[in-house]
Amino acid sequence: MAVKPIRLFGDPVLRTPAEPVVDFDKELRTLVRDLTETMLDEGGAGLAAPQLGVGLRLFAFDVDDVVGHLINPVLSFPDEEEQDGPEGCLSIPGLYFDTKRRLNVVASGQDMHGEPVQVVGTALLSRCVQHETDHLDGILFVDRLDPETKKEAMKAIREAEWNNQVAPQIKVSPHPLFGKTR
Ligand SMILES: [Zn+2]
């Protein structure tokens, strides 16, 4: 198994735009496998490479029993239709907020062999593709919330158990200036 730890909200890698994939080599295929296995292990609908700490433009998805991946995605929207509904993120575990997305999407990109592929998605698959492509631009779904809901989300993140578990590491910082006692 190649289940890897998932980076959580607050990790700078989640805010860093990812680089296009240029080498379709064995290393990339291993990354696709790691992404897929970690996503399936966590029961997520999608997982983007930056969530495993890798700054490359690819993600895996698992929607309606279809498991796949997409590399260097470019999104286009065939219409103006929107959807609104609960969205979550493996990097912001346990928290779900209604997020507006486009209903339909056409995502063009490549597979792990460098062959051109297209993912045509509606509803959940479309939501997933938009969410994961945002990750590649350093955007998280909480950024898409209306101001009121975003305030609520940021409060919930501050109070989340997984977030507070990170805090003790600050005490062992070799830079006392940045140390905070809670
Ligand atoms: Zn996510």
Side-chain angles (χ1 to χ4, degrees):
M1 286 293 278
V3 172
K4 303 274 169 117
I6 293 178
R7 304 300 182 94
L8 297 178
F9 184 93
D11 191 314
V13 74
L14 296 175
R15 290 307 194 178
T16 309
E19 299 289 327
V21 172
V22 288
D23 294 322
F24 292 82
D25 52 9
K26 192 163 169 263
E27 212 176 315
L28 179 73
R29 292 193 290 278
T30 302
L31 177 58
V32 169
R33 198 190 60 206
D34 290 353
L35 273 174
T36 305
E37 289 183 4
T38 305
M39 171 187 69
L40 294 174
D41 186 64
E42 295 283 341
L47 189 64
Q51 293 179 278
L52 293 186
V54 180
L56 288 174
R57 300 188 73 82
L58 74 149
F59 63 81
F61 60 88
D62 175 17
V63 178
D64 301 332
D65 293 326
V66 178
V67 177
H69 67 276
L70 191 60
I71 297 167
N72 298 331
V74 176
L75 305 193
S76 64
F77 301 101
D79 55 45
E80 301 291 322
E81 296 282 310
E82 287 189 334
Q83 58 177 326
D84 196 5
E87 192 164 314
C89 179
L90 292 175
S91 294
I92 308 176
L95 300 178
Y96 300 86
F97 296 93
D98 283 352
T99 310
K100 266 204 186 115
R101 294 284 184 186
R102 300 294 282 266
L103 180 61
N104 299 301
V105 71
V106 178
S108 304
Q110 288 152 290
D111 67 11
M112 66 170 116
H113 307 291
E115 297 299 325
V117 287
Q118 232 179 29
V119 176
V120 179
T122 188
L124 186 57
L125 180 55
S126 174
R127 178 180 291 282
C128 171
V129 164
Q130 292 169 74
H131 177 114
E132 301 311 329
T133 304
D134 270 353
H135 270 302
L136 309 181
D137 294 323
I139 296 168
L140 299 172
F141 86 97
V142 290
D143 304 338
R144 301 278 188 195
L145 303 175
D146 64 75
E148 197 66 15
T149 315
K150 181 165 185 182
K151 231 172 118 181
E152 196 186 316
M154 295 315 291
K155 185 168 182 283
I157 288 170
R158 277 195 305 274
E159 291 172 355
E161 204 176 312
W162 53 261
N163 199 5
N164 294 325
Q165 280 169 354
V166 178
Q169 291 178 3
I170 294 167
K171 290 183 192 157
V172 298
S173 165
H175 309 287
L177 273 178
F178 303 124
K180 267 189 197 160
T181 47
R182 296 175 61 99

